[in-house]
Amino acid sequence: MNPATALATVLVDELVRCGLTDVVLAPGSRSAPLALALHAESRVRLHVRVDERSASFLALGLAKRSERPVALICSSGTAAANFHPAVIEASESGVPLLVLTADRPPELRGTGANQTIDQMKLYGTAVRWYAEVGVPEDRPGQVAYWRSLACRAHQRAAGPAGPGPVHLNLAFREPLIPDGDTTWSEPLDGGANGPWVRARVAPPPIALHIPPTRRGVLVIGDGAANVRRYVAAAGMAGWPVLSEPNGGGRYGDHSISTYHYLLGTPEFADGHRPDVVVTLGRPGLSRPLLSWLKRADEHIVVAPDLDRWPDPTRSATQVAQAVEIPVASGDDTWLHAWRQADLAVRAAMDELLDLSGTSEPRLARDLVDALPNGALLFCGSSMPIRDLDQAMRPRRGIRLMANRGASGIDGLVSTAMGAALAHNGPSYALVGDLSFLHDQNGLILGPREPRPDLCFVVVNNDGGGIFSLLPQAAVRDPFERVFGTPHGVDLGYVAAASGTPYTLVGDISDLPKALRGEGPRVVEVRTDREENVHVHARLRDVAQEAVRAFLTG
């Protein structure tokens, strides 16, 4: 057996023994040993994509939803460089990726050989661990090295405290395909008792105990862990819960869905300073919330990985792997005030949204309301997730996700595809037109590839809508070209190019019907950027009026 085939066969087998179930492959020549080993491996689900960037974000979505390591494989050269944005997102959001890049052997590096670049530590500090595997050789000891390396890579990607991407760079000499010879200097199998190395999970950390208080607040941002346990504890303690949609805690009687507007009203923010704030995950959607966190007397950040705790406001006073929120006795005046203010603002907002036609905040609100229980909603990183944060009503029975680690707009179609493939139920994605166009290659599926049940709801305002809400909008002369960036693309033709079913929604009331279907499909909703600015301004005004009326009423 040639060494390239031996290494690929052993590495794939050991990763499967560690628990690997999904692999994403971008085709190439130098990675042929891995591709052939995977094609022959019936224990994994193989996904093939022609574009490396799309492949990498597909793997990101699969790993993000399944919460298990997913392997990502490519050939040498710029193919590996195209993985970098997804690796960065995986690093920032704690998603377990196993990145396996094929490479030329050392004698071809630095010589101008075809498709040869410097792949040593290509992703820098964005990976949790890197290993240069080395050129395989037919000599005793190689199998132990390869199998133990695979176990280490899988365990380091999985975490469990700090999951993230791991990079193995594999140098293959030719021949790259099996030669018909099956002999090797030592047995290639790994035995019958599971992984070569059994990594044990450490016991749960001892929780930090907080003194009992009714004047506490639980804040939940992206990437939060153990959300249901903390939400239940906050409920027992009489604390309001301020959860971003992708935080997973926007449900139940204690959920305050209008916190963006409550804390954006100075009179309410000043009068509702808590004794303690506990933060799960990384909040980053609401500037009023971030400003309010800076003023908290006690701000406890819960971070399973104490090497990487989120604190964008630099306001943390304590960081702990786990927190115990005790039941507090006393009246419920604190929670009652939050809930009544939330109800007042919600009523005013919903009245305005019901009259706003096909506005972007209304679309976000109505889409969530229309989804069936058990659904997954993947949200675009720019305006869609912010519209959901500001307009979504609390509800149970759905899972919301977004790429909010680095918050880029790249790879969103492919990430949604991957998440949908890992989800057991119907899936939907709410994305903007620029994000959709940026990753339209994600719609390309080969005839033998697994196809998810995924409906893309694309908000088309012909450009970058978020910039119209930022200070750049005041620079009127160059704004439209360098920020607004209108594209004039007919999204129906984009969908048609990949054979994806397409529906244009003319009226917001037609949305539930348009969502029906099976397999990948596109629903376009056209909006106006300038009108969107007016709707957001009116929402802020009516919300603040409602807050002030509540405070003085």
Side-chain angles (χ1 to χ4, degrees):
M1 181 179 294
N2 67 62
T5 298
L7 169 57
T9 301
V10 169
L11 194 66
V12 168
D13 179 64
E14 190 60 40
L15 288 175
V16 171
R17 282 154 47 93
C18 288
L20 186 74
T21 60
D22 283 272
V23 179
V24 180
L25 169 72
S29 176
R30 190 58 53 166
S31 55
L34 290 168
L36 295 172
L38 284 166
H39 189 267
E41 178 54 74
S42 61
R43 294 171 292 174
V44 297
R45 185 169 58 159
L46 178 62
H47 311 265
V48 181
R49 294 296 184 273
V50 297
D51 171 23
E52 283 83 8
R53 189 178 69 176
S54 177
S56 63
F57 279 101
L58 180 82
L60 177 80
L62 281 161
K64 191 178 184 74
R65 178 62 188 93
S66 67
E67 299 179 351
R68 296 192 304 269
V70 170
L72 174 63
I73 296 171
C74 73
S75 187
S76 63
T78 57
N82 277 294
F83 284 173
H84 206 161
V87 171
I88 290 173
E89 175 62 32
S91 177
E92 293 299 319
S93 55
V95 175
L97 280 186
L98 283 165
V99 183
L100 279 59
T101 55
D103 200 358
R104 260 58 177 172
E107 63 268 20
L108 294 182
R109 298 175 187 175
T111 65
N114 190 44
Q115 283 190 300
T116 305
I117 66 171
D118 184 0
Q119 295 178 202
M120 300 279 286
K121 297 188 176 181
L122 179 63
Y123 309 116
T125 58
V127 295
R128 300 290 191 267
W129 185 62
Y130 166 81
E132 177 74 13
V133 177
V135 179
E137 300 174 355
D138 187 358
R139 59 182 177 82
Q142 289 279 276
V143 172
Y145 166 51
W146 296 336
R147 289 192 179 274
S148 64
L149 187 74
C151 291
R152 187 183 299 271
H154 190 277
Q155 176 66 13
R156 190 63 191 90
V166 163
H167 179 202
L168 300 182
N169 195 49
L170 297 114
F172 291 119
R173 286 195 181 105
E174 296 182 351
L176 302 173
I177 61 174
D179 52 13
D181 184 6
T182 59
T183 60
W184 193 254
S185 59
E186 59 181 342
L188 291 175
D189 64 86
N193 298 318
W196 189 268
V197 177
R198 295 169 184 82
R200 302 299 183 186
V201 177
I206 298 174
L208 170 67
H209 285 261
I210 303 173
T213 176
R214 281 283 183 175
R215 295 180 62 87
V217 173
L218 177 65
V219 173
I220 307 175
D222 184 67
N226 300 317
V227 172
R228 291 191 176 277
R229 180 169 73 84
Y230 282 104
V231 170
M236 296 292 290
W239 291 12
V241 176
L242 318 184
S243 176
E244 294 182 348
N246 47 318
R250 189 171 291 198
Y251 61 87
D253 294 337
H254 290 221
S255 178
I256 308 298
S257 63
T258 64
Y259 66 84
H260 174 79
Y261 295 106
L262 293 175
L263 299 179
T265 307
E267 296 92 327
F268 186 91
D270 293 342
H272 293 77
R273 291 184 59 176
D275 295 332
V276 60
V277 174
V278 173
T279 298
L280 310 178
R282 183 178 65 176
L285 294 176
S286 170
R287 290 187 180 182
L289 173 62
L290 295 177
S291 297
W292 183 74
L293 283 177
K294 293 179 182 179
R295 300 158 59 190
D297 294 329
E298 182 79 358
H299 179 196
I300 301 173
V301 171
V302 180
D305 180 5
L306 293 182
D307 291 331
R308 299 171 61 88
W309 73 78
D311 182 23
T313 60
R314 301 287 186 181
S315 59
T317 55
Q318 294 192 73
V319 180
Q321 289 181 293
V323 166
E324 188 70 33
I325 301 175
V327 176
S329 59
D331 62 49
D332 61 355
T333 304
W334 170 252
L335 177 61
H336 182 74
W338 280 87
R339 292 178 62 182
Q340 292 304 115
D342 181 56
L343 290 172
V345 173
R346 170 57 60 191
M349 289 178 56
D350 284 342
E351 181 179 0
L352 174 61
L353 289 177
D354 289 342
L355 300 173
S356 66
T358 308
S359 69
E360 294 178 23
R362 181 179 178 182
L363 172 62
R365 184 199 66 176
D366 291 1
L367 174 61
V368 172
D369 290 347
L371 297 185
N373 285 334
L376 168 71
L377 176 60
F378 183 83
C379 317
S381 302
S382 189
M383 277 310 300
I385 189 62
R386 287 177 169 84
D387 282 331
L388 284 166
D389 187 43
Q390 295 169 26
M392 173 186 164
R393 292 184 276 234
R395 70 156 292 183
R396 300 177 187 270
I398 61 171
R399 176 76 175 266
L400 288 99
M401 299 177 63
N403 281 353
R404 289 292 299 175
S407 302
I409 71 165
D410 45 344
L412 296 187
V413 173
S414 300
T415 308
M417 286 279 194
L421 284 165
H423 182 69
N424 183 24
S427 299
Y428 305 83
L430 179 64
V431 298
D433 50 332
L434 293 188
S435 297
F436 181 75
L437 292 172
H438 201 285
D439 192 33
Q440 57 188 290
N441 279 359
L443 295 176
I444 300 174
L445 298 175
R448 298 176 63 182
E449 299 306 309
R451 304 179 74 81
D453 181 8
L454 173 60
C455 177
F456 288 96
V457 180
V458 184
V459 184
N460 185 4
N461 54 31
D462 194 28
I466 192 170
F467 292 109
S468 297
L469 299 170
L470 298 177
Q472 289 91 326
V475 190
R476 299 301 301 174
D477 185 41
F479 175 81
E480 192 65 3
R481 184 180 183 194
V482 300
F483 295 110
T485 56
H487 50 78
V489 175
D490 189 325
L491 301 187
Y493 287 113
V494 174
S498 58
T500 307
Y502 164 85
T503 302
L504 175 63
V505 171
D507 187 272
I508 192 68
S509 62
D510 297 329
L511 179 65
K513 180 180 179 181
L515 296 176
R516 299 171 191 162
E518 295 180 352
R521 55 201 187 276
V522 174
V523 172
E524 179 184 356
V525 182
R526 294 175 183 169
T527 61
D528 182 88
R529 274 189 278 134
E530 289 192 9
E531 179 59 25
N532 186 48
V533 173
H534 296 322
V535 170
H536 277 88
R538 293 199 298 272
L539 276 175
R540 182 185 63 247
D541 292 342
V542 300
Q544 292 187 343
E545 289 173 7
V547 175
R548 291 176 177 130
F550 165 77
L551 293 174
T552 59

